[in-house]
């Protein structure tokens, strides 16, 4: 708690950061509501007129900017004994921390996803006449879903103002000279950060500040490690003369999109966000929501490094073999649980029954592969582990008999899970809360000019053939009693970042309870958008079946698309570009006694 005072009515939960200017804490109002991040001006600066004016200016700058890619200002409070900026609490960790802990480059699609999100955030600020001037990895928060937000407008100015303030590794030539800042100033910094993301190192290495200044003012960085297709984009962003750069962040984002689609395909952003989310999942979040009880934000870790049982909106998953079937309509979650669906009706046939459990999802932007852990302190039972899997197709038209179908319209399953407790002894009751989502296209025709006609799932005009695909093998194929199971893969040597591609796992039957269900047909998507939540429960067996150690908990074995069927005839999953991505939660089985 800041010395001397705190914002009345707010309860501090944890410190998020501290420095010479002040302290940032996670807090919530005593009456409830969403958690917030409160930035307090340091008590030693309260009598400093310049510092107080600068702090007030930061709040005024934030007030101008309203953009989903920028952490928003809620309100500003100032009185004799203190000053505070109350902001949105962003559930994520800094890009700086992600890069430092990863210690290697991001995939190009992930780096482009960071850059695009930042450009969109900058566009919002620039449209309000605000120049950030301190864009760097430490001021980009990567959320649990792989999306990013721009934070810390502490040295931001209105366009046309400027001095030599900034972070040297990312400062544009005009900043080094103390010239007025423009949108091009921020775009230079964003390009510097992109180079660091995609190569694993900053654009310029220098022995001292003078050498670094010269490099930024006179030299183009080496692009040897940057994919050749992206060179023109980088050169434009790092032009030494601001007039030779783009001044419109939105236009820069549009150019990025064009290059990315041409180089990596129309599905590049979904894959980039998935990759970024999977990487970020290995890093603890800045917002420790395990301390907030039921606050519906993505999870983090406690201020003490301990665990807890924080509830997160992304705490999801699946158990059993996932199997999606397109036919005439949407199956109910009851059908999915009992496994009595038929291929003549239902998006899902035998889901959760003889074929296991299915997850079906929403959103053309795709789901995000995530995984993180809440470990309890000490060796005791407790904690929480989470992960997610996304299954889709790079060439969905092969599966749906639609030669002009774009990859972005792929059917997909989004299977997410929360395992509680993350550490358990034999005989412990294990609960796996699962969230199933998917997009199941139905009743659509795709034309050669790229347009889509939607006749609805029951129309005779549709040329889409019935199709089916599964994740993993069925319980029957694995010799498991009961229709639904969990697959446990021993680790190490298995890598949680690599989904197991074989069925060599310990498969355990589970009991199932449906919490909620929904499977509407969305005309705008021309697809069923299904969503339901289930709880799977089992009692951990003894060491003869499950020896002590760490296990990756999987929704199916193997964790890949199988049993791909088109119009009643099997086809190879590879023919449709089957892709399964994600990261599995981890369970530690302790010694008994």
């Amino acid at each position: 708690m800041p010395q001397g005072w705190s914002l009345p009515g707010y309860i501090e939960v944890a410190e998020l950061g501290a420095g010479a200017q002040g302290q940032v804490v996670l807090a919530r109002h005593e009456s409830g509501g969403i958690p917030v991040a409160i930035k307090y001006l340091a008590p030693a600066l309260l009598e400093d007129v310049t510092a107080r004016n600068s702090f007030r200016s930061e709040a005024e700058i934030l007030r101008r900017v309203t953009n989903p890619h920028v952490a928003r200002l809620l309100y500003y409070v100032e009185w004799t004994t203190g000053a505070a900026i109350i902001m949105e609490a962003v559930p994520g960790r800094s890009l700086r921390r992600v890069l430092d802990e990863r210690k290697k480059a991001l995939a190009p699609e992930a780096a482009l996803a960071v850059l695009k999100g930042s450009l969109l955030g900058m566009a919002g600020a620039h449209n309000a006449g605000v120049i950030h001037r301190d864009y760097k990895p430490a001021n980009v928060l990567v959320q649990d879903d792989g999306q990013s937000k721009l934070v810390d407008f502490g040295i931001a100015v209105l366009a046309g103002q400027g001095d030599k303030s900034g972070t040297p590794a990312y400062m544009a030539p005009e900043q080094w000279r103390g010239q007025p800042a423009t949108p091009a100033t921020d775009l230079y910094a964003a390009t510097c950060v992109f180079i660091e993301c995609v190569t694993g190192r900053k654009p310029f290495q220098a022995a001292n500040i003078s050498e670094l200044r010269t490099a930024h003012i006179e030299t183009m960085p080496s692009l040897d490690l940057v994919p050749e297709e992206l060179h023109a984009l980088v050169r434009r962003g790092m032009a030494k003369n601001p007039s030779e750069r783009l001044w419109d962040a939105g236009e820069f984002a549009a150019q990025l999109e064009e290059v990315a689609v041409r180089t990596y395909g129309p599905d590049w952003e979904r894959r980039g966000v998935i990759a970024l989310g999977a990487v970020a999942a290995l890093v603890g979040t800045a917002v420790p929501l395990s301390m907030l009880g039921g606050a519906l934000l993505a999870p983090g870790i406690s201020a003490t490094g301990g665990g807890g049982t924080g509830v997160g909106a992304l705490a999801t998953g699946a158990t059993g073999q996932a199997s999606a079937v397109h036919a005439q309509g949407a199956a109910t979650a009851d059908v999915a649980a009992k496994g009595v669906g038929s291929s003549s009706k239902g998006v899902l046939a035998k889901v959760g029954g003889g074929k296991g459990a299915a997850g079906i999802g929403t959103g053309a932007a795709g789901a995000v592969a995530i995984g993180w852990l809440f470990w309890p302190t000490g060796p005791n039972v407790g904690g929480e582990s989470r992960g997610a899997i996304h299954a889709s197709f790079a060439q969905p038209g092969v599966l749906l008999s639609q030669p002009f179908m774009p990859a972005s319209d792929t059917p997909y399953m989004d299977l997410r899970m929360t395992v509680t407790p993350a550490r358990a002894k034999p005989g412990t009751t294990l609960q796996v809360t699962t969230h199933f989502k998917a997009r199941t296209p139905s009743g659509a025709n795709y034309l050669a000019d790229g347009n889509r006609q939607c006749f609805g799932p029951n129309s005779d005009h549709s040329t889409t053939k019935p199709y089916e695909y599964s994740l993993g093998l069925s319980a029957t194929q694995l010799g498991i009693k009961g229709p639904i199971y969990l697959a446990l893969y021993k680790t190490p040597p298995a890598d949680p970042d690599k989904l197991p591609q074989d069925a060599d796992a310990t498969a355990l039957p589970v009991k199932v309870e449906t919490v909620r269900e929904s499977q509407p047909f969305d005309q705008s998507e021309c697809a069923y958008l299904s969503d339901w939540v289930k709880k799977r429960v089992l009692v951990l067996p003894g060491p003869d079946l499950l020896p002590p150690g760490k296990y990756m908990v999987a929704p199916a074995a193997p964790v890949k698309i199988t049993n791909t069927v088109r119009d009643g005839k099997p086809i190879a999953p590879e023919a449709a570009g089957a892709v399964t991505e994600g990261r599995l939660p981890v369970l530690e089985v302790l010694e008994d006694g």
Side-chain angles (χ1 to χ4, degrees):
M1 186 73 65
Q3 295 180 353
W5 75 287
S6 62
L7 190 61
Y10 279 88
I11 302 170
E12 180 184 349
V13 177
E15 181 181 291
L16 298 180
Q21 189 186 31
Q23 179 188 40
V24 181
V25 302
L26 181 68
R28 62 178 176 185
H29 197 271
E30 59 190 14
S31 65
I34 64 171
V36 296
I38 302 178
K39 183 175 182 178
Y40 291 108
L41 181 62
L45 298 177
L46 290 174
E47 301 302 322
D48 186 323
V49 176
T50 300
R52 188 182 281 268
N53 287 342
S54 176
F55 197 65
R56 188 184 299 121
S57 176
E58 180 181 353
E60 174 59 24
I61 289 289
L62 278 171
R63 184 190 64 79
R64 291 169 173 263
V65 182
T66 303
N67 185 280
H69 294 278
V70 175
R72 71 185 185 277
L73 173 74
L74 299 179
Y75 52 96
Y76 175 74
V77 179
E78 180 180 328
W79 59 83
T80 306
T81 56
I85 297 173
I86 296 86
M87 301 170 289
E88 169 189 14
V90 179
R93 73 290 292 152
S94 74
L95 178 61
R96 175 77 279 148
R97 188 174 174 188
V98 172
L99 295 175
D100 287 349
E101 295 200 14
R102 179 173 172 79
K103 297 179 180 178
K104 60 181 179 180
L106 298 177
E109 296 96 322
L112 285 166
V114 171
L115 180 57
K116 180 179 177 180
S118 298
L119 290 172
L120 294 176
M122 286 179 180
H126 296 166
N127 289 341
V130 173
I131 310 300
H132 190 281
R133 292 203 307 162
D134 200 21
Y135 180 85
K136 57 186 177 182
N139 288 339
V140 178
L141 289 185
V142 181
Q143 300 176 95
D144 296 309
D145 62 359
Q147 301 289 342
S148 60
K149 287 207 178 195
L150 185 57
V151 298
D152 198 344
F153 282 70
I155 65 168
V157 296
L158 298 181
Q161 299 176 347
D163 51 32
K164 294 183 180 181
S165 298
T167 300
Y170 312 99
M171 283 169 56
E174 59 269 26
Q175 275 181 285
W176 287 98
R177 296 187 177 107
Q179 295 171 342
T182 69
T185 305
D186 283 345
L187 299 190
Y188 182 95
T191 309
C192 288
V193 172
F194 171 72
I195 291 175
E196 184 174 357
C197 288
V198 82
T199 67
R201 63 191 188 192
K202 296 179 178 68
F204 299 112
Q205 311 297 316
N208 53 57
I209 197 72
S210 178
E211 287 185 9
L212 188 59
R213 179 182 186 277
T214 300
H216 275 287
I217 291 176
E218 300 179 0
T219 308
M220 180 62 65
S222 170
L223 301 183
D224 290 348
L225 299 179
V226 177
E228 185 175 356
E229 298 84 358
L230 306 178
H231 284 189
L233 199 70
V234 171
R235 288 195 183 97
R236 184 79 183 272
M238 293 203 68
K240 300 307 171 183
N241 190 330
S243 66
E244 296 176 2
R245 296 178 223 136
L246 287 173
W247 282 45
D248 188 320
E251 184 180 344
F252 197 0
Q255 287 194 10
L256 179 153
E257 179 75 24
E258 181 180 342
V259 172
V261 169
R262 185 170 64 247
T263 306
Y264 301 107
D267 207 25
W268 75 269
E269 187 172 6
R270 183 189 64 80
R271 288 183 284 106
V273 170
I274 286 174
L276 185 60
V279 170
L282 301 177
V283 181
T285 62
V287 178
L289 296 193
S290 59
M291 303 174 67
L292 295 185
L296 290 180
L297 289 176
I301 55 175
S302 72
T304 60
T309 55
V311 178
L314 300 181
T316 52
T319 60
Q321 183 216 25
S323 173
V325 178
H326 159 261
Q328 299 296 322
T332 66
D334 182 61
V335 169
K338 295 179 180 178
V340 295
S342 71
S343 60
S344 62
K345 41 178 153 173
V347 172
L348 303 180
K350 300 183 180 178
V351 175
K355 294 241 181 175
I360 315 198
T362 64
V368 178
I370 50 175
W372 58 89
L373 235 50
F374 294 110
W375 288 108
T377 56
N380 300 321
V381 169
E384 185 174 283
S385 180
R386 305 181 182 185
I389 297 171
H390 186 85
S392 60
F393 297 89
Q395 302 176 56
V398 174
L399 180 62
L400 277 70
S401 304
Q402 293 275 2
F404 304 114
M405 184 178 186
S408 58
D409 275 12
T410 179
Y412 64 75
M413 294 182 182
D414 187 11
L415 316 179
R416 306 181 179 186
M417 53 174 42
T418 302
V419 179
T420 308
R423 284 177 174 163
K425 297 179 179 179
T428 301
T429 298
L430 192 75
Q431 178 174 290
V432 181
T433 301
T434 64
H435 195 173
F436 313 147
K437 290 189 173 184
R439 179 180 187 277
T440 307
S442 182
N445 286 336
Y446 294 88
L447 306 179
D449 61 5
N451 289 322
R452 179 183 66 195
Q453 297 175 318
C454 186
F455 298 108
N458 301 313
S459 173
D460 294 333
H461 294 286
S462 173
T463 58
T464 299
K465 303 294 184 182
Y467 61 91
E468 176 181 357
Y469 64 99
S470 303
L471 189 70
L473 301 175
S474 70
T476 301
Q477 289 172 312
L478 293 175
I480 304 300
K481 293 182 179 179
I484 304 176
Y485 68 91
L486 279 176
L488 276 67
Y489 286 88
K490 197 74 162 59
T491 179
D495 182 352
D497 287 322
K498 296 180 180 178
L499 299 177
Q501 301 295 290
D502 60 69
D504 187 19
T506 300
L508 303 174
V510 295
K511 296 181 180 179
V512 184
E513 173 192 349
T514 299
V515 177
R516 73 166 188 262
E517 58 185 76
S518 174
Q519 297 195 82
F521 181 83
D522 188 314
Q523 189 73 19
S524 65
E525 292 275 353
C526 204
Y528 285 100
L529 303 182
S530 305
D531 184 336
W532 60 78
V533 176
K534 298 177 186 294
K535 290 182 180 179
R536 267 90 170 143
V537 178
L538 75 156
V539 177
L540 287 182
D544 53 333
L545 183 58
L546 200 64
K550 291 184 179 180
Y551 295 84
M552 293 186 293
V553 181
V559 190
K560 63 180 181 181
I561 292 175
T562 60
N563 304 328
T564 315
V565 177
R566 178 184 62 201
D567 200 17
K569 298 179 181 179
I571 65 170
E574 295 76 15
V579 178
T580 309
E581 303 166 290
R583 178 176 170 84
L584 297 172
V586 176
L587 166 70
E588 183 176 3
V589 178
L590 305 173
E591 297 276 358
D592 195 7

